[in-house]
């Protein structure tokens, strides 16, 4: 007998008072004070006398049944620990409208009321963390056969104790029908093995009956799908290829470790099998034990149907910050991973992605803090990043490099990849690291160790590269630009300086930058960065928890944010993020945002048919592996409200085949609030109109909010042929890349190319652009098709006629009118004549002399054409 039970028996007067209070309270709960209840059908008490069970009982004298016996002198009480629960089986499904809890002195401070159809999968219909005990009458909306009180925090040192648990409602509700939606489609899938890289687990849940998963030829083998949250599973449909299972089980699990078999057979016949099952779990798998052929197991599709039940909101599962599901295309290594395993994975990814610039595959390779030996050769749509708080927390002995083998040394198409938050020590005897890239390939928050080393920004031979970014980076040795045509370096440190120049090299806040000189060499040097926030990044803390670090805003800064110092900023647990998997609807994403969650997009193409709406200040949206948001059916991809401090980073936006008015909008039209103290910032945000398919969008990015910071963006329309890419003046249609209507907007490293009207339109005052790179559209069929009234063509950079203050540094525009070389652009930059609208160091280029840019800015500057391919203007006005 416990000491608490003895104390209760020694205080009979206390119990009498409780019983009297309970009787009064139960009557009062049914009728507001002083008011006679209206004549209406009252909900029925459904729980009395029904079977009840509990997680525990304090003693044999306080069973679960005592809380539903209608006797206010008996009670259920639990063991003295958290959590604990009591549930009642109503015998049939019912619509629940009210629950009354009559607590003994040992009450719940935090608890949920939950319903279920099967006693296994629960939906929360009421939740509180401020329970006060006494008698609580709670109106709820829900349905189920089972109802339970689930206590998570006690209000006393004792257990939980209820005199009565009363459930009111109406019987006769129907059990939910088995749905037809495929809950497995697009969800993360893993397998015990794959026959080869072309038959991955994900192919069985992609909704495409022409792709399949296949295992190696041995037993047993399995295919597992993560549904994202606990689901009530009612049907599994297996579409087998010829290599099917003769014996297999369908199994479910809550944690991916402990499995329950919900279907089993030893006489599988292959073909398409539709299996009725009863079970629940977050994970479901086909576990094959005997093959019907000499090959492995092979499934065209693995479909899962549910009744829609789940724990809480099934579409917005919690994120485990110590074991997050970062998707099947994210590979996380730690120092215990064998070097051969790491290198094999890296080699496989590079072989697949070296030339795969328009495929849907996206990958992230992440290294936990420690030391590794690896040669990281990056192909398209691959991100390599360290998971330390400092780049020096992860050191790779080897390389993190980009070559141009696939184009014979020409790196002008080495786009869409990134290296971040790592340090690199080159192998003994090697002194050259190569980062031969063009647009959308940031080298950010990196440390190349060794003062004797150099990083080459081209292939080191006769090829070319054309535009990149180095930011928040430390190079102990020398940076050699070689034939790199243009480059932007910001807030970095070059131990042995920089050598090289072609058309447009811009250095801002860089320690070790070359002396300012323009145009030969074409070095534009800006001593400080006026206001910037570095890109947020994922890391693992000392306890093993995944977190996102959000660097602080810096003003008038030079050098890195981390080398030789503690980075300033804030840290957010990944538990506060909704991890978005491909196939997640925009409605679900918006529901997560409405709950106050940040977003982490896993590698892949994320299709949306309504805008992602970001309304909450300081929301962080971070993509891994150049995660891509495709705007389908003519929708807008993302809208950001006119609020403080939103950060969007590592995301690509892609147009669908139906025209969108705009792909991303920051602030609604007419936004006017000042965000100077906490601006919204966009980091490594890229846009693509066309490429893998025909794409259409009138505008690409519109910035209406004030004080927005753009930190490296490439806005691109597909206008010239590549393998398998549909191009043409009337196919991939897009008027304008960037439109800025907000005031005091700053762009660092802005690349805008190939749009059919103005590339950039800037209507806000106080704008600043540091480094601008543009190519005009290649494909106007003739001059008549590309006229702006009486003006030939459209300027690459248009500052609105009403603007009274604007500045630009290190800006270039190029033409290559290969469809019709007779086409002329009257000017590259078109701006109001105002002493406060100023430009420093401009260049125009006729690439190979194919086409003409008649003037650089307004009516100033010479003509770029076949006879004079580069023209420079050092200052305007």
């Amino acid at each position: 007998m416990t000491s608490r039970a003895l104390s209760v028996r020694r205080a009979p007067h206390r119990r009498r008072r409780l019983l009297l209070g309970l009787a009064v309270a139960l009557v009062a709960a049914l009728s507001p004070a002083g008011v006679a209840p209206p004549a209406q059908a009252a909900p029925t008490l459904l729980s009395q006398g029904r079977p009840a069970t509990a997680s525990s009982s304090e003693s044999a004298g306080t069973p679960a049944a005592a809380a539903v016996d209608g006797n206010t002198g008996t009670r259920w009480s639990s063991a003295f620990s958290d959590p604990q629960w009591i549930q009642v089986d109503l015998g049939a499904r019912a619509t629940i409208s009210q629950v009354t809890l009559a607590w003994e002195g040992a009450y719940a401070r935090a608890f949920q009321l939950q319903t279920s159809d099967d006693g296994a999968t629960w939906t929360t219909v009421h939740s509180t963390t401020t329970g006060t005990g006494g008698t609580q009458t709670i109106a709820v909306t829900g349905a189920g056969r089972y109802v339970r009180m689930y206590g998570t925090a006690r209000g006393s040192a004792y257990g939980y104790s209820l005199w009565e648990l009363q459930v009111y409602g109406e019987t006769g509700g129907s059990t939910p029908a088995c749905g037809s939606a495929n809950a497995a489609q697009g969800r993360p899938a893993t397998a015990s093995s794959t026959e080869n890289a072309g038959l991955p687990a994900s192919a069985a849940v992609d909704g495409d009956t022409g792709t399949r998963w296949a295992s190696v030829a041995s037993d047993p083998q399995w295919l597992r799908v993560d549904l994202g949250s606990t689901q009530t599973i009612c049907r599994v449909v297996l579409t087998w290829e010829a290599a099917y299972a003769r014996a297999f089980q369908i199994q479910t699990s809550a944690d991916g470790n402990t499995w329950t078999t919900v279907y089993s057979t030893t006489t599988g016949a292959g073909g398409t099998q539709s299996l009725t099952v009863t079970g629940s779990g977050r994970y479901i798998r086909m576990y094959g034990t005997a093959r019907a052929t000499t090959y492995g197991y092979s499934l065209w599709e693995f479909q899962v149907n549910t009744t829609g039940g789940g724990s809480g909101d099934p579409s917005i599962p919690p994120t485990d910050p110590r074991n997050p599901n970062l998707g099947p295309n994210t590979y996380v290594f730690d120092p215990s991973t064998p070097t051969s395993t790491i290198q094999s994975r890296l080699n496989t990814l590079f072989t697949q992605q070296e030339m795969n610039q328009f495929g849907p595959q996206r990958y992230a390779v992440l290294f936990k803090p420690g030391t590794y030996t690896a040669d990281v050769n990056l192909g398209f749509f691959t991100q390599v990043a360290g998971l330390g708080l400092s780049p020096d927390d992860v050191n790779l002995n080897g390389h993190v490099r980009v070559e141009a083998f696939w184009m014979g040394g020409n790196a002008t198409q080495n786009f869409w990849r990134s290296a971040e938050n790592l340090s690199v020590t080159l192998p003994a005897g090697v002194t050259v690291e190569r980062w031969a890239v063009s647009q959308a390939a940031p080298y950010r928050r990196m440390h190349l160790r060794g003062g004797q080393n150099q990083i080459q920004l081209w292939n080191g031979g006769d090829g070319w590269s054309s535009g990149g970014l180095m930011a928040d980076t430390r190079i102990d040795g020398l940076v050699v630009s070689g034939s790199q045509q243009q480059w932007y370096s910001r807030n970095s440190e070059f131990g042995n300086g920089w050598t090289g120049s072609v058309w447009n090299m811009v250095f801002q806040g860089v320690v070790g930058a070359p002396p300012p000189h323009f145009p030969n060499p074409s070095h534009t040097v800006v001593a400080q960065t006026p206001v910037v926030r570095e890109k947020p990044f994922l890391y693992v803390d000392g306890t093993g928890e995944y977190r996102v670090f959000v660097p602080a805003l810096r003003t008038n800064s030079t050098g890195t944010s981390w080398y030789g110092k503690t980075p300033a900023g804030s840290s957010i647990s990944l538990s506060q993020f909704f991890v978005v998997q491909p196939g997640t609807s925009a409605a679900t994403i918006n529901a997560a945002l409405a709950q106050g969650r940040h977003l982490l997009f896993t590698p892949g193409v994320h299709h949306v048919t309504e805008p992602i709406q970001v309304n909450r200040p300081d929301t962080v949206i971070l993509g891994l592996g150049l995660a891509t948001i495709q705007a389908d059916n003519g929708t807008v991809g993302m809208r950001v409200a006119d609020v403080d401090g939103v950060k969007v980073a590592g995301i690509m936006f892609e147009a669908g085949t139906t025209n969108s008015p705009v792909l991303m909008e920051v602030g609604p039209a007419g936004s006017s609030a000042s965000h100077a103290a906490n601006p919204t910032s966009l980091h490594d945000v890229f846009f693509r109109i066309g490429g893998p398919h025909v794409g259409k969008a009138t505008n690409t990015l519109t910035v209406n909010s004030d004080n927005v910071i753009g930190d490296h963006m490439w806005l691109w329309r597909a206008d010239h042929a590549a393998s398998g890419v549909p191009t043409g003046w009337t196919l991939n249609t897009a008027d304008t890349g960037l439109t800025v209507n907000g005031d005091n907007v700053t762009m660092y490293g802005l690349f805008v190319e190939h749009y059919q009207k103005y590339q950039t339109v800037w209507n806000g005052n106080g704008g600043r652009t540091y480094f601008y790179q543009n190519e005009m559209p290649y494909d106007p069929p003739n001059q008549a098709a590309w006229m702006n009234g009486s003006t030939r063509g459209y300027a690459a950079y248009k500052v609105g006629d009403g603007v009274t203050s604007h500045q630009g540094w290190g800006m270039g525009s190029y033409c290559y009118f290969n469809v019709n070389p007779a086409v002329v652009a009257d000017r590259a930059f078109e701006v109001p004549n105002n002493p406060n609208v100023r430009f420093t160091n401009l260049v125009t280029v006729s690439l190979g002399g194919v086409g003409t840019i008649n003037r650089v800015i307004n009516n100033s500057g010479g003509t770029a054409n076949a006879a004079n391919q580069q023209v420079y203007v050092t200052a305007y006005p």
Side-chain angles (χ1 to χ4, degrees):
M1 183 178 292
T2 66
S3 59
R4 178 171 173 271
L6 285 171
S7 68
V8 171
R9 284 171 171 77
R10 290 171 184 168
H13 58 285
R14 175 174 176 266
R15 172 167 292 186
R16 282 195 297 271
R17 285 197 297 269
L18 284 169
L19 294 180
L20 179 61
L22 172 62
V24 172
L26 288 176
V27 171
L30 298 178
S31 178
V35 179
Q40 60 180 10
T44 304
L45 176 60
L46 304 174
S47 54
Q48 193 161 307
R50 298 300 310 168
T53 54
S55 52
S56 66
S57 294
E58 181 184 352
S59 69
T62 57
V68 292
D69 61 1
N71 184 349
T72 55
T74 60
R75 64 187 177 93
W76 161 73
S77 60
S78 76
F80 302 176
S81 63
D82 296 309
Q84 300 289 339
W85 51 263
I86 180 172
Q87 73 181 48
V88 58
D89 178 0
L90 304 179
R93 197 167 199 265
T95 301
I96 312 301
S97 58
Q98 179 181 296
V99 176
T100 297
L101 302 172
W103 295 101
E104 196 251 0
Y107 66 95
R109 187 175 70 252
F111 67 92
Q112 294 93 52
L113 297 178
Q114 299 176 325
T115 63
S116 174
D117 287 306
D118 58 7
T121 302
W122 296 89
T123 299
T124 298
V125 295
H126 174 80
S127 179
T128 185
T129 58
T130 56
T132 56
T135 297
Q136 295 180 265
T137 298
I138 302 165
V140 299
T141 300
R145 172 174 172 171
Y146 302 86
V147 176
R148 75 174 177 181
M149 186 288 299
Y150 187 83
T152 56
R154 291 163 289 142
S156 71
Y158 304 113
Y160 298 84
S161 184
L162 281 166
W163 295 111
E164 285 293 298
L165 167 62
Q166 298 179 332
V167 179
Y168 294 87
E170 300 293 335
T171 58
S174 61
T175 300
C178 192
S180 60
N182 182 7
Q185 187 167 322
R187 299 300 309 169
T190 53
S192 51
S193 67
T194 54
E195 182 182 346
N196 60 55
L199 303 169
S202 58
V205 293
D206 61 1
D208 184 349
T209 55
T211 61
R212 63 186 176 96
W213 161 72
S215 77
V216 298
S218 64
D219 296 312
Q221 299 291 335
W222 51 262
L223 174 73
R224 182 182 82 170
V225 182
D226 177 1
L227 302 178
S229 65
T230 300
Q231 303 281 337
T232 301
I233 298 162
C234 52
R235 185 187 304 113
V236 173
V237 181
L238 303 173
T239 305
W240 293 100
E241 196 250 359
Y244 65 94
R246 186 175 68 251
F248 67 92
Q249 294 94 52
I250 301 298
Q251 300 175 326
T252 62
S253 174
D255 58 6
N257 295 311
T258 303
W259 294 90
T260 299
T261 298
V262 296
Y263 176 85
S264 180
T265 186
T266 57
T267 57
T272 298
Q273 294 180 267
S274 182
L275 310 173
T276 299
V277 300
T278 300
S280 64
R282 172 173 173 169
Y283 302 88
I284 184 166
R285 72 178 179 181
M286 186 289 298
Y287 187 81
T289 56
R291 290 163 292 138
T293 71
T294 58
Y295 301 108
Y297 298 84
S298 184
L299 281 166
W300 294 110
E301 283 295 295
F302 180 50
Q303 300 178 54
V304 178
N305 301 137
T306 71
T307 62
S311 53
D313 184 339
S315 65
I316 309 171
T319 299
D320 180 352
R322 298 183 183 279
N323 186 33
N325 177 9
L326 301 179
N329 290 348
T330 298
Y331 300 95
V332 180
F333 299 125
D334 63 48
S336 69
T337 309
T339 297
S340 60
T341 300
I342 296 172
Q343 195 60 54
S344 176
R345 174 58 60 190
L346 292 169
N347 293 346
T348 298
L349 290 178
F350 177 71
T351 299
Q352 176 182 304
Q353 296 301 109
E354 181 183 14
M355 296 181 284
N356 191 16
Q357 61 178 317
F358 295 112
Q361 294 80 11
R362 308 285 187 270
Y363 296 97
V365 180
L366 310 178
F367 290 86
K368 289 185 176 181
T371 300
Y372 304 81
T373 298
D375 179 9
V376 183
N377 193 0
L378 286 175
F380 283 99
F381 290 105
T382 307
Q383 174 195 28
V384 61
L387 290 173
L389 189 57
S390 165
D392 287 344
D393 291 341
V394 179
N395 184 62
L396 296 186
N397 294 305
H399 294 278
V400 174
R401 61 192 173 105
V402 177
E403 310 282 0
F405 302 142
W406 70 292
M407 287 194 72
N410 185 338
T412 56
Q413 288 190 45
N414 275 356
F415 312 137
W416 301 309
R417 64 200 75 196
S418 71
E420 303 177 49
N421 202 31
L422 294 161
S423 67
V424 179
T425 301
L426 297 181
V430 177
T431 59
V432 173
E433 184 78 302
R434 191 162 291 121
W435 189 257
V437 300
S438 293
Q439 290 84 356
Y443 194 82
R444 184 187 286 276
R445 199 178 170 82
M446 294 288 289
H447 184 191
L448 182 61
R449 297 173 183 260
Q452 77 282 2
N453 297 325
Q454 61 176 260
I455 184 168
Q456 296 181 351
L457 305 181
W458 93 116
N459 76 306
D462 297 327
W464 295 88
S465 47
S466 187
L469 167 84
M470 188 175 285
D472 205 23
T473 284
R474 165 82 185 182
I475 306 295
D476 289 351
L478 177 68
V479 183
V480 182
S481 63
S483 61
Q484 173 66 243
Q485 293 167 338
Q486 61 256 319
W487 190 270
Y488 178 58
S489 302
R490 181 185 60 70
N491 287 93
S492 294
E493 301 169 12
F494 304 154
N496 287 335
W498 171 291
T499 182
S501 165
V502 178
W503 296 329
N504 188 25
M505 307 296 177
V506 177
F507 308 84
Q508 184 166 20
V510 173
V511 178
H517 196 287
F518 196 85
N520 188 22
S522 58
H523 292 162
T524 299
V525 180
V526 181
Q528 295 180 322
T529 303
V531 56
V532 77
R533 173 189 292 121
E534 298 298 339
K535 179 183 178 181
F537 60 90
L538 184 68
Y539 76 103
V540 178
D541 71 10
T543 71
E545 180 179 8
Y546 283 79
R547 304 183 69 87
V548 171
F549 189 78
V550 181
L553 203 65
R554 294 199 291 167
T555 57
N556 301 321
S557 60
T558 59
T560 70
S561 67
W562 57 270
Y563 185 73
K565 67 195 78 168
T566 300
S570 58
S571 179
I572 307 171
S573 171
L574 205 63
S575 65
Q576 302 303 305
F577 282 73
F578 175 50
V579 180
V580 185
Q581 309 288 346
T584 304
S585 69
T588 298
I589 294 169
N590 287 333
L593 289 168
Q595 290 184 5
R597 303 278 282 275
H598 306 279
L599 301 179
L600 180 73
F601 282 84
T602 60
V605 178
H606 301 259
H607 293 264
V608 298
T609 55
E610 62 181 275
I612 297 171
Q613 183 66 54
V614 184
N615 295 324
R616 183 173 60 87
D618 297 310
T619 299
V620 176
I621 299 171
L622 179 62
L624 297 179
L626 288 89
T628 300
I629 297 172
Q630 181 170 314
D632 291 331
N633 299 345
T635 192
V636 176
M638 180 179 291
R639 284 194 169 105
V640 179
D642 190 29
V643 296
D644 277 354
V646 173
K647 298 93 181 171
V648 181
I651 297 287
M652 177 181 236
F653 289 87
E654 190 160 84
T657 57
T658 301
N659 188 71
S660 294
V662 65
L663 294 185
M664 183 182 188
E665 182 183 71
V666 181
S671 296
S672 59
S674 173
H675 307 290
N678 186 14
T680 283
S681 51
L682 312 178
H683 313 264
D684 297 340
V685 178
F686 310 131
F687 298 84
R688 186 164 71 178
I689 313 290
H693 51 254
V694 169
K696 298 177 182 292
T698 305
N699 298 294
T700 302
L701 170 64
T702 298
V703 176
N704 293 314
S705 287
D706 294 347
N707 311 105
V708 171
I709 296 171
D711 172 27
H712 188 221
M713 293 189 294
W714 187 31
L715 296 79
W716 179 82
R717 168 185 165 262
D719 68 341
H720 51 284
S723 178
V725 177
T727 56
W729 187 249
T730 60
L731 289 180
N732 299 317
T733 55
D735 285 356
T736 304
L738 173 67
T739 302
V740 178
N741 297 319
D743 292 339
N744 303 311
V745 171
T746 304
M747 294 288 163
Y748 301 105
L750 176 60
F751 301 75
V752 187
E753 296 192 302
H754 308 305
Y755 288 87
Q756 294 174 295
K757 293 184 179 178
Y758 292 119
Q759 311 293 301
T760 296
V761 176
W762 206 298
N763 297 317
N765 275 310
R768 296 174 291 189
T769 296
Y770 299 91
F771 182 89
Y772 183 72
Q773 188 266 321
N774 161 259
E775 284 185 355
M776 294 180 174
Y778 284 14
D779 57 343
N782 49 59
Q783 192 70 64
W786 198 50
M787 291 291 293
N788 181 15
S790 61
T791 300
R792 292 174 294 180
Y794 289 81
Y797 194 96
K798 165 70 174 177
V799 179
D801 295 342
V803 172
T804 58
S805 58
H806 189 93
Q807 297 181 63
W809 291 263
M811 306 179 74
S813 177
Y814 319 133
C815 74
Y816 185 70
F817 300 129
N818 64 328
V819 173
N820 188 336
V823 169
V824 176
D826 271 343
R827 60 188 62 89
F829 299 89
E830 186 175 301
V831 308
N833 283 310
N834 185 301
N836 292 317
V837 177
R838 304 192 302 273
F839 289 81
T840 302
N841 296 352
L842 308 177
V843 58
T844 57
V845 181
S846 175
L847 297 169
V850 181
T852 299
I853 301 177
N854 194 46
R855 292 288 183 266
V856 178
I857 181 166
N858 290 352
N859 294 320
S860 297
T863 300
N865 55 20
N868 186 28
Q869 294 183 19
Q870 295 95 38
V871 178
Y872 296 93
V873 168
T874 58
Y876 186 90

